Every structure is written in C-alpha cells, then in structure tokens.
C-alpha cells in the first residue's frame, strides 16, 4: 500500500532555520541544521535500501508559494506568498510503499523525533493512504 507522509512548517520556522528567530521559533545554528539533515538522510537511505521509498522531498519556504484559482470571469487569478508567517503548510513529504499502516506509523514516529533546537514548535507527522482507484476516494 502506498502512503503520503508529510511534515509541516511555517514561514516563521523557515526564517528561524536561516537565523531569524521569532516568538515560538528559536534560531537554528549551523550544527542544528546539519544534525537535522543527517537525521533525515539516514532515514531516507534506510527507506531506499528497504525498497519502501518511492519519493521524498523537502519543500521551499512558504513565501515562495503561488496559488492559481479562477476568477468570476473564468480567468486565472494568481496569488503569490498567500500565507502569513505562522500558518502551517506542507514542508516536506515522502511517498512510501509499505506493508501496512503500522509500518508507516513506525516510520512517522521516527521522523517525529527529528532533532531540533529546544523550544522549536513540534508538529504532527501526517499520514494519508494514497488512493489507487476512484472507488477508494469515497469508501
């Protein structure tokens, strides 16, 4: 079964990772960043070796987000940087092919233990099964 496993973050969190703290998001040091990336590389390498990793990526900061919707006249309406600094968004994801929900939950629990500076916000790791047919969307 395939699952989408996601981690969340805010613009304030991304800013903190580049040395600009805010209330609730302490500044990260270079060592903090290196430790976090090493932790994630280890998980990714193990998932690739086990054959469970289909894809995984970290995403650019939220201020680089663009929304495209339709206006009343049916023409595209483009909104750049539509989110405030504290709104949680998708920060990274993995597409995993695991034996079942228990296994992907084990992986998510490990990801949730990613090292970060003391006082940094903690967000849940989100797991969603990937529907492989239209019938799965409604059942």
């Amino acid at each position: 079964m395939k699952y989408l496993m996601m981690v969340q973050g805010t613009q304030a969190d991304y800013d903190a990772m580049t040395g600009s703290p805010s209330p609730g998001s302490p500044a990260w040091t270079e060592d903090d960043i290196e430790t976090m990336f090493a932790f994630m590389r280890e998980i990714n390498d193990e998932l690739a070796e086990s054959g469970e990793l289909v894809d995984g990526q970290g995403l650019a900061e939220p201020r680089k987000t663009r929304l495209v919707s339709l206006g009343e006249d049916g023409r595209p309406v483009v909104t750049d940087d539509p989110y405030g600094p504290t709104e949680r968004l998708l920060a990274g994801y993995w597409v995993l092919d695991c034996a079942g929900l228990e296994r992907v939950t084990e992986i998510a629990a490990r990801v949730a233990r990613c090292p970060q500076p003391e006082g940094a916000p903690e967000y849940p790791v989100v797991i969603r099964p990937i529907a492989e047919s239209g019938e799965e969307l409604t059942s």
Side-chain angles (χ1 to χ4, degrees), residues 94-124:
W94 293 260
V95 175
L96 302 172
D97 192 352
C98 295
L101 186 57
E102 277 70 28
R103 173 62 181 142
V104 76
T105 300
E106 289 172 13
I107 297 165
R110 186 169 173 203
V111 167
R113 289 191 287 276
C114 182
Q116 59 183 15
E118 186 174 326
E122 294 183 25
Y123 305 114

Side-chain angles (χ1 to χ4, degrees), residues 27-37 115-117:
W28 290 54
T29 66
E30 278 190 44
D31 285 344
D32 293 330
I33 298 288
E34 289 175 25
T35 300
M36 185 260 304
F37 281 129
Q116 59 183 15

Side-chain angles (χ1 to χ4, degrees), residues 3-7 40 43-44 47 52-57 90 92-96 104 107 111 125-126 128 130:
Y3 296 89
L4 181 63
M5 186 175 71
M6 301 165 278
V7 291
M40 291 300 185
I43 289 174
N44 290 343
L47 293 170
E52 294 170 302
L53 180 65
V54 176
D55 186 30
Q57 302 293 326
L90 182 62
Y93 70 90
W94 293 260
V95 175
L96 302 172
V104 76
I107 297 165
V111 167
V125 177
V126 179
R128 302 237 351 235
I130 295 175

Side-chain angles (χ1 to χ4, degrees), residues 15-95:
D15 291 343
M17 292 174 82
T18 60
S20 298
S22 63
S25 291
W28 290 54
T29 66
E30 278 190 44
D31 285 344
D32 293 330
I33 298 288
E34 289 175 25
T35 300
M36 185 260 304
F37 281 129
F39 179 87
M40 291 300 185
R41 264 192 309 277
E42 181 180 329
I43 289 174
N44 290 343
D45 290 348
E46 289 176 15
L47 293 170
E49 189 174 307
S50 72
E52 294 170 302
L53 180 65
V54 176
D55 186 30
Q57 302 293 326
L59 301 176
E61 62 185 317
R63 75 169 43 106
K64 294 183 179 175
T65 300
R66 171 173 277 188
L67 296 181
V68 180
S69 57
L70 294 179
E72 289 183 22
D73 61 359
R75 296 177 59 148
V77 175
V78 177
T79 307
D80 290 321
D81 188 15
Y83 300 104
T86 59
E87 293 180 73
R88 274 195 275 176
L89 294 173
L90 182 62
Y93 70 90
W94 293 260
V95 175

